[in-house]
Amino acid sequence: MMQLWQLETLLLQKDTYLSYSQALSYTSQALSQNLQGLRKKGRIRRMSTKLVYYLEENWKMIWVVSLWIMVMIGLFTWKFFQYKQKSAFKVMGYCLLTAKGAAETLKFNMALILMPVCRNTITWLRSTKLGLFVPFDDNINFHKTIAAAISIGVILHVGNHLACDFPRLISSSNDKYKKFLKNDFGSPKPTYIDLVKGTEGVTGVLMVIFMAIAFTLATRWFRRNLIKLPKPFDRITGFNAFWYSHHLFVIVYVLLIIHGEFLYLVHIWYRRTTWMYLAVPVLLYAGERILRFFRSGFSTVRLLKVAIYPGGVLTLQMSKPPQFRYKSGQYMFVQCPAVSPFEWHPFSITSAPGDDYLSVHIRQLGDWTQAVKRLFSEVCEPPVAGKSGLLRADEATKKSLPKLLIDGPYGAPAQDYSKYDVLLLVGLGIGATPFISILKDLLNNIVKMEEQADSVSDAGKASDVSVASSNESTTPNRVPSKRKKTLKTTNAYFYWVTREQGSFDWFKGVMNEVAELDQRGVIEMHNYLTSVYEEGDARSALITMVQALNHAKNGVDIVSGTRVRTHFARPKWKNVLSKLSSKHCNARIGVFYCGAPVLAKELSKLCYELNQKGSTKFEFHKEHF
């Protein structure tokens, strides 16, 4: 029961409550206002600033793509002038040269496109010094870029053959044909149908058809169900259609090798170079798939706990195989044979490396995730009183839980968090998953550090002066180095933005654990609920005051049900980053983001602008899936 004096205090101090969670000091406010100066500069200055910003943010990708383009230009030019010396040029003209130049780039790109999807190799390479110069985290974007170049190469190669040099060949005079082309195409002179129905023509046409299907279904509109088609054509949209159609490339590569061995104008075997381009990448990719097959078979897991939370989120907690070693921020692939024996889907690992289990949080978004949720809903039971979640299951459940296979772990940007002095972790909705493992790992390190400090202190008190001096060269020298490694990250700020109140149930246990055990205030957490008007708005004043009073009295937030205070509306990111810049001068701050691309651009730009203003350096990283 609230007494009269408590109500009076609440109303008199409403301004304090309303600004309870606004993290903006006068210093940071002034600094954020200084950023407005960039907008007042001249047009040329603004353009040069944007150009410098773009170059600094994307220099890794720029040099890789530039090198790739130069290699393609070199290959195209080499083949162009090589075929200009052949007698076939006299009849087929520049159409032949363009087709052959495009063919050489196609061989190169069909080999190269496999490299970005060799995930085990990339995970290893990103941990080497090569990761300082090559943007391995942009592997999928580079894969898509190569695919676009292949599309252009196919149009040039096939178009010039079918619409230009083949017609020139069949329309050439008999004298010209016998003089320049008879040795290559034989006698009598072939017809257009003869050229198309030959081994080269049939394999080429089949490759174009299969590649067109795979490329089309891999586009964003089809892959994400943005195109609504009537039944039964709706089955060609969605992730399943993308996944299965992409495996047509196994046939494409077989056809490509056959196509490369039956060339009209090349008669010496070692000059048919298609297999030379493909040998290493295909073997590497095949090796990765074989490794993945056997590793997933050995990495058998036993489901320990299942929970289905509001917002369509399925939480799976499973046993950790002895050989499965990972870093916080990494992800793994999950397969549920009961849903599909072929499909593997990536999910961020939400357990910490120090935990004796593995966990993932899966949101219901596509057809596969919907099927998995339905499957687990059948074996789950209603929640025990006092526990969150709609449905639960564990080892005590009478019904047997579906079998799961896992493969991984694989590298991601967030795994490099430990090299930064300060962390800013930003997750939108289910995008918080990569950072939950980091928070738990930081918390485990904090607890270990305090236990270590206590043990060192106790050992120092209990030991004799002579014993202490004799151990001076061992224990004291080892402990500080270990503690220094643990203390590399001094602070972490976690911002979780979601539209649904029920989402806070997903990680309630983690947030309460951090709030309880982090006595030194290393981790600062902020929950934002965007479906409520922002703090300070009259329409949310009452809930803000009641929320603040309950949090002050009981230590529990009435919105999230945790010890972490919930803010309303969206964070003012300029204010957030400005405060960190002022608070952590000369620090190296890692900004990790997982969510919609629009906010990624805003955060990246703010990091760049603040880097130009002060001694604090922000480094922005975005998760790619």
Side-chain angles (χ1 to χ4, degrees), residues 442-451 517-518 522-523:
L442 283 173
L443 185 63
N444 291 341
N445 287 336
I446 292 169
V447 173
K448 286 181 182 178
M449 182 185 65
E450 292 177 350
E451 290 176 351
L517 297 179
D518 184 23
V522 173
I523 302 172

Side-chain angles (χ1 to χ4, degrees), residues 79-267:
K79 277 297 170 183
F80 187 93
F81 286 104
Q82 185 186 72
Y83 272 81
K84 195 173 183 180
Q85 308 303 317
K86 290 182 177 290
S87 59
F89 169 67
K90 306 294 184 181
V91 177
M92 305 171 83
Y94 286 97
C95 302
L96 174 66
L97 275 52
T98 305
K100 291 301 181 180
E104 202 67 18
T105 65
L106 278 172
K107 289 187 282 186
F108 170 66
N109 284 326
M110 287 296 289
L112 187 63
I113 199 170
L114 294 175
M115 303 303 291
V117 290
C118 292
R119 297 177 187 271
N120 289 289
T121 304
I122 287 176
T123 299
W124 170 68
L125 287 175
R126 75 184 308 282
S127 63
T128 65
K129 290 185 178 180
L130 201 59
L132 299 174
F133 310 101
V134 180
F136 290 113
D137 294 324
D138 279 327
N139 59 320
I140 299 301
N141 288 332
F142 190 44
H143 177 78
K144 294 176 182 178
T145 305
I146 298 172
I150 289 174
S151 300
I152 297 171
V154 167
I155 293 171
L156 288 174
H157 179 71
V158 177
N160 276 281
H161 273 325
L162 296 182
C164 188
D165 57 32
F166 282 3
R168 281 178 174 238
L169 185 153
I170 61 175
S171 63
S172 63
S173 64
N174 289 331
D175 292 338
K176 261 194 170 183
Y177 179 80
K178 289 179 181 179
K179 182 178 181 181
F180 298 113
L181 297 175
K182 183 180 177 182
N183 292 334
D184 297 315
F185 291 91
S187 182
K189 185 171 66 173
T191 65
Y192 193 90
I193 297 298
D194 292 333
L195 294 172
V196 173
K197 73 178 185 180
T199 304
E200 302 90 332
V202 171
T203 54
V205 170
L206 287 176
M207 279 192 290
V208 171
I209 293 172
F210 290 144
M211 291 169 75
I213 294 171
F215 284 4
T216 302
L217 298 185
T219 57
R220 181 173 175 267
W221 301 281
F222 282 89
R223 192 178 72 253
R224 298 195 176 183
N225 273 321
L226 299 180
I227 293 179
K228 302 300 179 184
L229 298 176
K231 293 184 178 180
F233 300 106
D234 60 334
R235 297 180 66 86
I236 67 172
T237 63
F239 187 85
N240 277 349
F242 154 74
W243 175 259
Y244 290 116
S245 66
H246 240 55
H247 287 77
L248 288 173
F249 277 96
V250 176
I251 303 173
V252 169
Y253 277 98
V254 174
L255 293 173
L256 180 59
I257 293 173
I258 296 173
H259 185 81
E261 289 301 309
F262 290 86
L263 298 178
Y264 286 115
L265 301 176
V266 180
H267 307 291

Side-chain angles (χ1 to χ4, degrees), residues 448-500:
K448 286 181 182 178
M449 182 185 65
E450 292 177 350
E451 290 176 351
Q452 186 185 57
D454 292 341
S455 64
V456 170
S457 177
D458 293 342
K461 292 178 182 178
S463 60
D464 184 90
V465 174
S466 60
V467 174
S469 62
S470 65
N471 290 337
E472 192 173 4
S473 61
T474 56
T475 306
N477 286 340
R478 285 200 307 266
V479 171
S481 62
K482 190 173 182 179
R483 290 181 67 184
K484 183 178 180 181
K485 184 178 179 181
T486 305
L487 289 171
K488 172 65 176 176
T489 302
T490 58
N491 291 91
Y493 301 85
F494 176 52
Y495 284 78
W496 185 18
V497 184
T498 182
R499 288 177 296 184
E500 302 169 358

Side-chain angles (χ1 to χ4, degrees), residues 302-308 313-318 334-339 360 362 368-381 391-394 397 399-405:
R302 180 170 43 89
L303 278 171
L304 307 175
K305 189 182 296 182
V306 178
I308 301 177
V313 170
L314 170 68
T315 303
L316 302 176
Q317 193 177 108
M318 62 203 80
V334 176
Q335 185 197 79
C336 184
V339 174
V360 293
I362 302 173
W368 187 86
T369 53
Q370 290 172 356
V372 169
K373 185 192 171 187
R374 282 196 302 268
L375 180 65
F376 280 95
S377 297
E378 296 172 0
V379 299
C380 288
E381 297 179 349
L391 299 167
R392 286 179 176 271
D394 52 34
T397 305
K399 299 179 182 178
S400 60
L401 296 174
K403 181 183 177 183
L404 281 185
L405 297 176

